[in-house]
Amino acid sequence: MAATATRAMTDAEVSKEMEKMACVAFIKQEALEKAKEIKIKADEEFNIEKAKLVRQETATIDALFQKKMKQAEVQRKIAASNYSNKAKVRVLQLRHDLLGHVHTDTRAQLRSLVERHDEYKPLVEDLLVQGLLDLLEPEAVVLCLARDVELVESVLDAAAHRFQEMAQARVKVTVDKSNPLPESEIGGVIVTSANGRIKVLNSLEARLQIACEKLLPDIRVKLYGAPPNRRFFD
């Protein structure tokens, strides 16, 4: 069988084929450029979205950090305040205890004083005269410890005489032996009117209490120093 002869392409056919190839190349190039544009745009949108998410997460972390910092600061202030308050309470307790020691020591000294007859007797007389002057009644009744009855009776006349000189009036003074002061008292006297309605508390316990209340500010200054915000000292 004879072979089929190949026909040569005409110039028109060649030109047409070349146009087809050029068209394919153009389409391919357009596709590549379009794909490149899409990729660039996608990358840009990705980077924008990523930056947005990073900013959001950063803001969230910063807000959380600030919240934690504020909470920590509040806790620190609370702890510092609690510590300061406890320290103040402790100082106040120590000061209270120290004042209590001063009161106890003074009370012990007064108990020691009543044992020294030569010092205690003139003190009882002075307390009795002061009580009579405060009472200013024509008759007075004296209450004292049972163990002090004899001592008090020994100074009645002298005390009445001193009262008469100071008040320019006479007074009748008696000791109520049936109603002694309780043994918890240190000493001293209580002077009452004849009917018992008016009382002048001149026992050593009462005078100690009065002295403590009156001298407490001065005692505090001597023990702890003057308060820094104190403006007046009289």
Side-chain angles (χ1 to χ4, degrees):
M1 188 174 180
T4 303
T6 302
R7 185 178 63 84
M9 296 178 65
T10 63
D11 290 342
E13 290 176 337
V14 170
S15 177
K16 189 175 182 179
E17 285 296 325
M18 290 183 64
E19 287 178 359
K20 287 181 180 180
M21 292 176 62
C23 184
V24 170
F26 175 78
I27 293 172
K28 184 177 181 181
Q29 182 63 33
E30 282 289 320
L32 290 174
E33 290 180 359
K34 191 65 176 178
K36 185 177 181 180
E37 288 178 4
I38 293 173
K39 184 177 184 304
I40 291 173
K41 186 175 181 180
D43 289 344
E44 288 178 351
E45 291 179 352
F46 171 77
N47 289 331
I48 291 172
E49 188 65 22
K50 182 176 74 173
K52 181 180 178 182
L53 291 174
V54 169
R55 286 194 300 271
Q56 289 176 346
E57 289 301 318
T58 301
T60 301
I61 292 172
D62 287 344
L64 182 60
F65 175 76
Q66 292 299 325
K67 182 180 179 181
K68 293 292 185 182
M69 287 292 291
K70 289 180 180 179
Q71 289 176 344
E73 181 64 15
V74 170
Q75 292 298 323
R76 185 192 67 80
K77 289 181 178 180
I78 292 174
S81 177
N82 289 339
Y83 179 82
S84 177
N85 290 337
K86 288 180 180 178
K88 289 178 181 178
V89 170
R90 177 62 177 164
V91 169
L92 290 175
Q93 184 61 50
L94 290 173
R95 288 186 173 186
H96 176 76
D97 292 345
L98 184 55
L99 288 173
H101 290 321
V102 171
H103 184 276
T104 301
D105 291 344
T106 305
R107 204 167 187 275
Q109 292 180 32
L110 288 175
R111 286 197 176 280
S112 176
L113 171 64
V114 301
E115 301 296 331
R116 301 193 294 274
H117 187 270
D118 56 336
E119 296 180 36
Y120 182 46
K121 182 177 179 178
L123 174 61
V124 170
E125 183 179 325
D126 290 341
L127 291 173
L128 183 53
V129 172
Q130 186 183 53
L132 293 172
L133 289 171
D134 287 343
L135 192 64
L136 284 178
E137 290 283 325
E139 293 186 24
V141 177
V142 181
L143 307 179
C144 63
L145 287 165
R147 66 172 182 268
D148 288 342
V149 170
E150 185 177 345
L151 183 148
V152 172
E153 287 182 332
S154 70
V155 299
L156 285 183
D157 290 342
H161 180 70
R162 288 172 59 186
F163 169 82
Q164 183 176 344
E165 289 181 343
M166 295 178 184
Q168 297 297 307
R170 292 181 177 275
V171 62
K172 179 183 177 182
V173 189
T174 58
V175 178
D176 186 354
K177 301 178 183 179
S178 64
N179 189 26
L181 296 180
E183 289 300 319
S184 58
E185 290 280 355
I186 305 171
V189 294
I190 292 178
V191 184
T192 74
S193 58
N195 57 18
R197 293 181 180 177
I198 305 174
K199 292 183 179 181
V200 179
L201 305 180
N202 255 2
S203 67
L204 294 183
E205 191 72 45
R207 295 306 298 267
L208 174 60
Q209 187 63 34
I210 293 171
C212 284
E213 292 174 358
K214 183 178 180 180
L215 298 176
L216 186 58
D218 294 331
I219 294 173
R220 283 181 175 147
V221 170
K222 288 187 178 296
L223 290 176
Y224 318 124
N229 57 348
R230 186 174 178 182
R231 299 176 60 187
F232 304 103
F233 294 88
D234 44 81

